[in-house]
Amino acid sequence: MTDTRPGPLDPTLVAVIEAGWPEMVTRLADRREAFVARAGEQARQQGLADTDSAARYLNLCFAFGPAFETRPENEWALALLVDERLGNGVKLHQLVLAGAEELVRRGGEAQALRASDARLLDALDRVRGADAPPLPRRACDIEALEFRALDLDWRREYRLEGGAWQHLPGPPAPPPLRVDATHPAVTRLCLLSQAASEGQQTRLQVRQAAHGQCGLAVPHPQLRWLGGHGLMAAQGHAAQTTSWSVAALPPPAAPQGWGALLLQEPSPELTLLELNSCGLRDRGVPLGSQHIQLWAWPAQQWLLTWQRDRLLEQTWPRQTSAVPPPPASQGLRLRLARDGAPRAAPRWAEGLGPGLENALLAGAERLFAAWSASAQSPRMSLRAGLFNGHAAVTWGLREGADGLAGDPLLRVVGDFKLGMTLDLLLNGEIEQAGARTQLSLRIALATELALQLSRETAEPPLAEALAPVQQAIRCPVTLEFAPIAGETGLLWSEFGPATGALVGAFGLRPRPEGGGAWQWFLQLALEPVVAPMAVQDPLLGRSSQHVALLGSLPLLDWSLG
């Protein structure tokens, strides 16, 4: 098996260390190499496998003896070495400082330890090369960070007040976000803003409180913001308090004619914020450099409302002079707006007008064809008012309970009062077992979806919050019959009740195509219609059987959005 342990330290580094402890080297004499090897093995056991840490640990062993941290009087050293919150560089820095204080207390060579460690750091920098940043010598860390969202006066939301939808000032600015020893670090900041081409943007303010000062050529604290805009950088005093505009992506483009897809959540613009320091403290756990993703979502707010009062009436067989459905604008007022400005949405108006009614007529044609195969002298009449009433829904992103530290939520507020009426009557003559009857089948649907919806927090989830905006339909088929006397004397004496119903659902559902949007929908189908009947024969008496009047039949599968 290959030995993966680090090899012996560079003799040059060992010589630098030994130069600081001539008396110790003299006492060790020919045991010097064994002493260095044992210190290296102990460093490996403590997880100090990198060259820098192993060399500085060896220097401490010259001051305190090999495996010094295992002795009771050096518990301070063991506590630092086993602290998993500290990186090796921080451990060794704090070990040297604590060791020097301990030597002062014991009357030892504290100055020799400091001087030897300083020379060793210089030697390590030479080994690392000119291209590598110098090893930190002094405390340099971030004491605290504060993030604020500024310039939010442009934000507005739609709210229903006094019976009217108004475009009013939005929510208050999210509280500032603090990161320090008592407030956990974050990996992501979430802002709501606008695209650069669409108006004012949110400004992000970053404030840093520094812990110590390293004195490097490129001083800390340091701030770097990287993204599609390029690189923005500040350092030293300029990085302590700075702010800049953060642009979001443009809103998602809707297909031609739609204006917007209902409840579609936009995507964020991702950039990277780096807050750099040496991450070195004389005591305690450093906050260290911070690498934070900055997610900026579009903050646009939408409003879609309609008022519908349209009736569709038709009879079959259809006459060549049958009146077509009324124009889309008749009996329908529809409004789509974004951030206080109207948006053209002809496909919404077309879908709620002729689109819906033509889809219903196509299903009715299929039903009449099926009825014509069962009945003689078939006739059918239809009177329907679908989605009549009013509907209004506003949606857009707003900050969640975690403010800048958490994902925004899709705010959805709606007001719905939608009636669904459909009166379908089928007439004809049926002959069965030598007897005839005049038959009428009726489907009379009357239901209403009436509710107010307000989702302004992350709970419940969106799908759960919108579940009430969907209603199932089940309307049984009823029938009436009038026996027709014939020469045979056979008469229908009983008929029904029939099985079968108009079934389906309507309301809001996610778009099957995906993309995070929702759509209005209406589905209607007819279950098989079968009825028991009895015939009275003057000679043979009563006989019974079942009559299949209509089979299973899809009538309507309409969606909008």
Side-chain angles (χ1 to χ4, degrees):
M1 180 180 293
T2 302
D3 189 354
T4 59
R5 293 178 298 176
L9 283 174
D10 185 333
T12 303
L13 296 177
V14 176
V16 170
I17 297 170
E18 290 178 340
W21 307 97
E23 295 183 6
M24 182 67 171
V25 171
T26 299
R27 289 200 301 272
L28 288 171
D30 57 357
R31 293 178 292 123
R32 181 180 58 82
E33 291 186 4
F35 177 89
V36 172
R38 182 183 176 191
E41 177 63 22
Q42 187 67 16
R44 186 187 67 81
Q45 293 179 9
Q46 293 292 356
L48 308 176
D50 60 286
T51 298
D52 298 354
S53 300
R56 297 182 76 184
Y57 177 82
L58 174 61
N59 188 51
L60 285 162
C61 288
F62 272 93
F64 290 98
F68 63 95
E69 71 277 8
T70 61
R71 295 197 289 272
E73 67 271 19
N74 295 326
E75 288 182 356
W76 55 270
L78 183 61
L80 288 171
L81 285 168
V82 300
D83 192 336
E84 297 181 353
R85 300 170 299 170
L86 305 178
N88 284 351
V90 178
K91 288 180 180 180
L92 269 300
H93 175 80
Q94 295 187 4
L95 278 169
V96 170
L97 293 181
E101 292 176 358
E102 187 67 16
L103 289 174
V104 168
R105 189 179 66 81
R106 299 178 187 178
E109 298 179 275
Q111 185 55 38
L113 175 60
R114 297 190 189 97
S116 180
D117 187 69
R119 288 191 298 271
L120 177 57
L121 288 172
D122 292 340
L124 288 169
D125 280 342
R126 291 192 294 271
V127 171
R128 288 154 55 91
D131 294 336
L135 292 169
R137 270 75 165 169
R138 292 187 290 176
C140 171
D141 191 27
I142 299 171
E143 186 68 34
L145 293 169
E146 184 187 75
F147 304 96
R148 286 179 181 265
L150 305 177
D151 297 347
L152 299 179
D153 292 344
W154 54 270
R155 290 184 57 184
R156 297 287 188 274
E157 290 180 343
Y158 290 100
R159 291 196 287 274
L160 182 61
E161 292 193 3
W165 287 93
Q166 302 183 43
H167 196 223
L168 301 173
L177 176 64
R178 184 177 177 87
V179 174
D180 57 25
T182 60
H183 297 83
V186 295
T187 59
R188 184 168 58 166
L189 288 175
C190 300
L191 289 178
L192 296 178
S193 188
Q194 297 189 99
S197 61
E198 299 207 351
Q200 188 176 358
Q201 286 86 54
T202 301
R203 291 183 66 82
L204 176 65
Q205 182 189 72
V206 180
R207 299 175 63 196
Q208 299 190 64
H211 174 90
Q213 190 172 17
C214 59
L216 297 177
V218 180
H220 293 135
Q222 182 187 81
L223 180 147
R224 289 161 50 91
W225 181 43
L226 303 90
H229 59 276
L231 170 65
M232 186 194 81
Q235 57 198 33
H237 179 74
Q240 291 182 351
T241 300
T242 186
S243 65
W244 64 93
S245 295
V246 180
L249 291 175
Q256 183 68 29
W258 286 103
L261 294 181
L262 191 63
L263 309 185
Q264 185 176 31
E265 294 193 47
S267 299
E269 172 77 288
L270 273 64
T271 54
L272 179 64
L273 180 61
E274 295 181 349
L275 301 159
N276 295 317
S277 72
C278 295
L280 194 64
R281 284 178 180 252
D282 295 344
R283 291 179 177 82
V285 180
L287 195 60
S289 296
Q290 303 292 301
H291 299 270
I292 303 171
Q293 291 182 353
L294 181 54
W295 293 40
W297 275 271
Q300 74 268 7
Q301 303 292 311
W302 292 92
L303 176 67
L304 175 65
T305 69
W306 81 67
Q307 181 76 38
R308 191 178 192 277
D309 183 17
R310 290 168 67 99
L311 287 176
L312 176 65
E313 296 184 277
Q314 191 59 261
T315 60
W316 284 262
R318 297 184 68 176
Q319 306 298 318
T320 56
S321 59
V323 179
S329 60
Q330 184 174 325
L332 175 64
R333 295 195 304 274
L334 185 139
R335 173 193 176 200
L336 177 66
R338 196 198 99 181
D339 298 326
R343 296 280 168 151
R347 293 191 65 178
W348 283 97
E350 175 67 24
L352 278 169
L356 172 59
E357 291 153 358
N358 287 336
L360 179 60
L361 286 174
E365 291 282 1
R366 292 192 294 272
L367 176 58
F368 183 68
W371 179 239
S372 298
S374 297
Q376 301 173 17
S377 302
R379 299 181 308 281
M380 185 172 78
S381 64
L382 170 68
R383 191 173 190 270
L386 306 179
F387 289 103
N388 278 349
H390 69 262
V393 59
T394 178
W395 70 97
L397 295 178
R398 69 153 49 169
E399 290 85 0
D402 294 330
L404 298 176
D407 287 346
L409 65 98
L410 186 67
R411 172 182 176 262
V412 180
V413 178
D415 179 39
F416 310 105
K417 190 172 184 180
L418 296 172
M420 303 288 287
T421 61
L422 186 147
D423 192 2
L424 189 64
L425 179 63
L426 297 94
N427 294 303
E429 294 181 7
I430 301 292
E431 182 175 348
Q432 190 79 13
R436 296 172 62 82
T437 188
Q438 181 72 35
L439 186 63
S440 296
L441 270 70
R442 167 157 273 165
I443 299 172
L445 169 67
T447 187
E448 184 179 70
L449 176 66
L451 62 93
Q452 290 189 328
L453 169 73
S454 180
R455 180 185 187 258
E456 306 203 53
T457 60
E459 294 295 333
L462 182 61
E464 184 178 331
L466 293 178
V469 195
Q470 187 178 125
Q471 191 175 108
I473 293 173
R474 184 171 185 84
C475 182
V477 174
T478 62
L479 59 83
E480 295 179 357
F481 75 103
I484 301 174
E487 295 179 358
T488 62
L490 297 176
L491 282 177
W492 290 46
S493 61
E494 298 176 23
F495 192 47
T499 63
L502 181 71
V503 296
F506 73 99
L508 281 176
R509 70 181 180 190
R511 292 182 79 229
E513 299 90 341
W518 290 64
Q519 64 181 197
W520 289 98
F521 79 100
L522 171 60
Q523 291 177 320
L524 295 174
L526 184 66
E527 294 180 339
V529 179
V530 178
M533 57 86 71
V535 174
Q536 189 67 39
D537 188 318
L539 297 177
L540 302 177
R542 182 180 181 277
S543 64
S544 61
Q545 56 185 285
H546 282 76
V547 181
L549 299 173
L550 288 168
S552 177
L553 185 68
L555 294 179
L556 180 63
D557 190 356
W558 170 88
S559 61
L560 182 65

